[in-house]
Amino acid sequence: MKRSITSILIALLLISISCTSQKNSSGKNLSVDYKIQSSYLLIPVEEKAPEIKISVSASNPTHQYAFDVHLAVDKIDYWVPLDVKELKDQNLTLSFLGVNESILGIKEIKQSNEFEFEYNEKYRPQFHFSPEHGWMNDPNGMVYLDGEYHLFYQYNPYGAMWGNMHWGHAVSTDLISWTYLPTVLTPDSLGAIFSGSAVIDVNNTAGFGKNAMIAIYTSAGKVQAQSIAYSTDKGRTFTKYAKNPVLPNPGITDFRDPKVSWNEQSKQWVMALATRNTVTFYGSQNLKEWTKLSEFGDGIGSHAAVWECPDLFPLTFQGKTKWVLIVSLNPGGPNGGSATQYFIGNFDGKSFKPDALPYPLWLDYGRDNYAGVTFNNIPATDGRRIFMGWMSNWDYANQVPTKYFRSANTSPRELKIVNNGKHMILSSFPVVEMNKIKDKMIELPDLQVATNATIAELLEQNDGSYEINMSVKPDDAEVFGFSLGNSKGELLVFKFDNSTGFFSIDRKKSGLTDFNDRFAMGMSAPLIKRAVYNVRLLIDRASAEIFINEGEITMTTLFFPVECMNQLRFFSRAGKISVENIKINNIK
């Protein structure tokens, strides 16, 4: 997503504040009263400071809530806003737990009519969705309705680190340009709002109205349980069901991330739910009452960690319907940390039976694609299965060197079942809508590379967002590849190794890596020897997504160069390669 906001330091209108404190020498309780005269109350954050709880109290019931924040102690990294427009000329009280009244963060809380920040900071992606500010992780509730793709997501509006889980919201008409909308689901007495899905209730099975958008999510309080909320205004506002939870916890610690869809064969809603190290399927006629159908997962796939974020959907392969079940887990990915595995088989409306394939199979062998799911309610006239994932890894997600926001989503991808020459696999490839954002294509001459070759300048004006397409033919080379580089000597290396049967990415020298000791770890994917490798590479400031042979191999990686990568270098060891049809596109 591309958006330009003038970089301005936060301009604050400091209004006189009436304070009353309940002093405590141990710093356990402190309350501050504010006479609201502006639109926002700005809270200063220091990410390395201890996290404390702040309770908000006002006469307006929508302003009775609590949140955790790394309240500034020694310095201010950035500010987060409390929207108090509705409280003009009213009183609001902030209650702090475990602080002393002299703490910097309390003294520096300010009122302002504006919340301004440097939106277009250095590593902000240009054509991938990222939160306006704050933290984002799992995509949630992805659904299509009346020309709009709805993206909900795990969101912390009170800092750029995980916590305070809400559902943020954005919409798009083309899967590329997104419009931010207000947060729709906030924590309540049942707990934080964890991941889930959304459906369109075409036949009013739940009784909330024909074509109501219904969110099914995990309430994460003392135990995890499944709740619902409904919208009759195309997802702009939601009302939580009064009798939540609709699926109480049966005594399972990890009981979360419901993905729901209508199953025509069994004429019911089917929920795929992550239940510790398995997926449990539940059925319902009305989205309010659920019955256990079956359980899948024992003895198959990777069980290196708790399973999360399942998704079950049909695809057509060789004229027949096959069912795909994707499941994320962390840690335990093939290259460390987070990853998503999948199974291909059959589903009869009640139970899933996997085909005999060499599990575990991984949707993306990069280090930075996790918790992805697919859109519900895509029209039959379209027929695609469209996927988006969270572009990070729990090994380092809270430490990546962005400031006002953290995390982005992968590009939207179409999923298909293909045969890689040995067995069925799930391929993923950018949706056709991605072609609309290309600009000023440059075609370069074909190359014959015996040892090394360098294209010194990819684009005259390179802002770090571009696409490379090319065909690489290993004439007689076994080890070969290419790298992106810059004048600082930073390199992001992509290597084919037919001698070992692996394709790898090396980001050890790609720029900033020392924010986490696991970030520089390498990553590789199984490689089948081919006469030609068609490469599509999407670069968006701090991310690289590579698709080989239309998604037969897909790898997603973050990297944080000091300056954008504008050099393309090829290498070959003990043999020649041919590089043809080299096309560079700036992305507008």
Side-chain angles (χ1 to χ4, degrees):
M1 179 181 62
K2 210 160 190 174
R3 174 178 173 182
S4 178
I5 292 182
T6 304
S7 300
I8 306 174
L9 293 175
I10 297 177
L12 298 171
L13 175 63
L14 180 59
I15 307 298
S16 60
I17 298 172
S18 170
C19 299
T20 61
S21 301
Q22 179 180 358
K23 296 184 180 180
N24 187 305
S25 59
S26 62
K28 289 187 177 180
N29 295 294
L30 178 67
S31 295
V32 183
D33 295 333
Y34 298 85
K35 180 77 170 181
I36 299 301
Q37 299 294 331
S38 301
S39 298
Y40 299 99
L41 202 59
L42 300 178
I43 311 296
V45 172
E46 180 186 353
E47 288 199 339
K48 292 186 178 180
E51 192 173 57
I52 69 159
K53 185 172 292 294
I54 299 179
S55 296
V56 180
S57 178
S59 57
N60 188 323
T62 63
H63 289 272
Q64 306 276 350
Y65 57 93
F67 60 94
D68 298 316
V69 66
H70 293 270
L71 189 64
V73 174
D74 297 316
K75 66 184 182 71
I76 298 172
D77 291 328
Y78 52 83
W79 306 77
V80 294
L82 302 186
D83 190 334
V84 292
K85 296 184 187 74
E86 298 176 357
L87 300 178
K88 191 71 177 291
D89 297 323
Q90 299 180 42
N91 291 324
L92 177 145
T93 300
L94 297 185
S95 299
F96 305 84
L97 179 64
V99 300
N100 187 283
E101 63 181 333
S102 63
I103 189 173
L104 173 69
I106 294 176
K107 293 189 294 182
E108 293 296 327
I109 291 174
K110 296 179 172 70
Q111 296 194 50
S112 174
N113 283 321
E114 303 291 337
F115 173 56
E116 297 177 320
F117 59 96
E118 187 181 358
Y119 179 88
N120 197 28
E121 61 178 278
K122 183 173 184 177
Y123 297 120
R124 171 78 71 172
Q126 299 297 284
F127 60 91
H128 291 79
F129 179 81
S130 59
E132 187 172 21
H133 65 87
W135 163 276
M136 178 184 76
N137 55 292
D138 306 358
N140 295 155
M142 298 196 304
V143 67
Y144 180 87
L145 178 64
D146 294 343
E148 289 183 324
Y149 297 92
H150 290 260
L151 168 64
F152 303 95
Y153 50 91
Q154 291 283 277
Y155 180 49
N156 180 9
Y158 305 118
M161 299 176 73
W162 185 90
N164 304 301
M165 287 294 96
H166 296 56
W167 269 25
H169 188 199
V171 294
S172 174
T173 59
D174 62 4
L175 291 168
I176 306 301
S177 298
W178 295 89
T179 299
Y180 297 116
L181 294 178
T183 299
V184 294
L185 296 177
T186 61
D188 55 32
S189 61
L190 293 177
I193 311 298
F194 275 16
S195 293
S197 53
V199 299
I200 306 304
D201 192 6
V202 176
N203 296 315
N204 193 23
T205 64
F208 299 131
K210 183 177 175 62
N211 290 320
M213 182 183 293
I214 301 178
I216 308 96
Y217 60 92
T218 297
S219 293
K222 291 182 180 180
V223 297
Q224 296 175 356
Q226 314 321 310
S227 297
I228 61 174
Y230 62 93
S231 171
T232 56
D233 59 1
K234 298 185 179 182
R236 269 54 181 180
T237 60
F238 279 81
T239 300
K240 293 174 181 173
Y241 180 49
K243 296 182 181 180
N244 280 334
V246 295
L247 182 55
N249 191 298
I252 300 174
T253 303
D254 300 292
F255 187 73
R256 58 178 178 266
D257 308 339
K259 182 64 191 289
V260 175
S261 60
W262 178 260
N263 184 267
E264 188 61 32
Q265 185 174 357
S266 59
K267 303 295 183 184
Q268 64 180 336
W269 297 102
V270 171
M271 175 192 296
L273 189 69
T275 49
R276 197 174 296 141
N277 287 114
T278 63
V279 172
T280 300
F281 298 104
Y282 291 86
S284 174
Q285 296 295 324
N286 58 13
L287 295 167
K288 299 173 181 176
E289 300 162 319
W290 294 89
T291 301
K292 183 177 178 178
L293 301 175
S294 62
E295 189 171 353
F296 168 80
D298 284 340
I300 189 170
S302 174
H303 289 270
V306 170
W307 285 13
E308 297 185 306
C309 302
D311 193 0
L312 177 71
F313 51 86
L315 289 174
T316 299
F317 177 66
Q318 296 181 347
K320 297 181 180 179
T321 297
K322 302 297 294 184
W323 286 80
V324 177
L325 176 64
I326 62 176
V327 183
S328 293
L329 78 165
N330 171 69
N335 292 295
S338 315
T340 300
Q341 62 180 324
Y342 66 88
F343 306 88
I344 300 174
N346 298 293
F347 185 72
D348 62 3
K350 295 182 178 180
S351 60
F352 178 80
K353 303 296 183 185
D355 289 352
L357 295 171
Y359 303 114
L361 295 169
W362 301 97
L363 182 65
D364 188 313
Y365 281 84
R367 294 263 283 149
D368 296 299
N369 182 358
Y370 189 64
V373 288
T374 64
F375 281 88
N376 278 338
N377 205 48
I378 298 294
T381 53
D382 181 321
R384 292 176 296 173
R385 181 57 57 171
I386 301 172
F387 167 97
M388 289 174 68
W390 174 47
M391 197 156 55
S392 197
N393 189 305
W394 280 116
D395 274 356
Y396 41 75
N398 279 291
Q399 292 89 40
V400 296
T402 54
K403 184 176 182 180
Y404 298 104
F405 80 101
R406 276 201 178 90
S407 299
N409 283 338
T410 67
S411 60
R413 305 171 182 180
E414 182 178 1
L415 302 183
K416 295 180 179 180
I417 298 175
V418 300
N419 192 302
N420 67 357
K422 293 184 177 180
H423 54 79
M424 288 185 295
I425 61 169
L426 187 62
S427 71
S428 64
F429 199 65
V431 295
V432 295
E433 288 87 343
M434 291 289 293
N435 294 328
K436 298 177 183 178
I437 61 176
K438 298 179 183 181
D439 188 35
K440 297 179 181 178
M441 184 181 73
I442 299 171
E443 294 190 57
L444 300 176
D446 294 347
L447 296 173
Q448 294 287 325
V449 181
T451 54
N452 296 283
T454 299
I455 299 171
E457 183 179 77
L458 292 176
L459 297 165
E460 289 185 8
Q461 294 182 329
N462 188 340
D463 67 357
S465 299
Y466 55 92
E467 176 179 330
I468 299 174
N469 286 272
M470 56 188 171
S471 297
V472 181
K473 296 182 177 180
D475 298 336
D476 58 359
E478 287 290 298
V479 181
F480 54 94
F482 60 93
S483 64
L484 296 176
N486 58 29
S487 66
K488 304 297 184 182
E490 295 170 337
L491 291 173
L492 183 64
V493 182
F494 303 85
K495 184 175 73 174
F496 298 82
D497 191 337
N498 279 321
S499 65
T500 60
F502 284 97
F503 173 79
S504 63
I505 300 177
D506 184 341
R507 61 182 177 187
K508 289 192 294 291
K509 298 180 180 179
S510 63
L512 304 180
T513 63
D514 60 358
F515 53 86
N516 183 283
D517 59 8
R518 292 180 62 81
F519 182 77
M521 291 173 56
M523 60 201 86
S524 61
L527 177 68
I528 294 177
K529 192 170 185 176
R530 302 289 195 194
V532 59
Y533 298 100
N534 294 312
V535 173
R536 185 173 184 181
L537 179 61
L538 301 179
I539 302 296
D540 195 4
R541 286 191 169 179
S543 67
E545 297 171 284
I546 190 166
F547 306 90
I548 299 174
N549 291 344
E550 296 190 343
E552 184 178 296
I553 296 176
T554 301
M555 296 182 74
T556 305
T557 183
L558 298 178
F559 67 109
F560 299 94
V562 173
E563 66 178 28
C564 63
M565 303 283 199
N566 202 32
Q567 300 171 356
L568 179 59
R569 304 170 183 174
F570 298 93
F571 62 89
S572 179
R573 300 173 189 168
K576 294 181 180 180
I577 62 171
S578 301
V579 187
E580 302 175 353
N581 303 314
I582 307 171
K583 298 176 182 178
I584 316 296
N585 286 93
N586 190 16
I587 293 184
K588 58 185 178 180

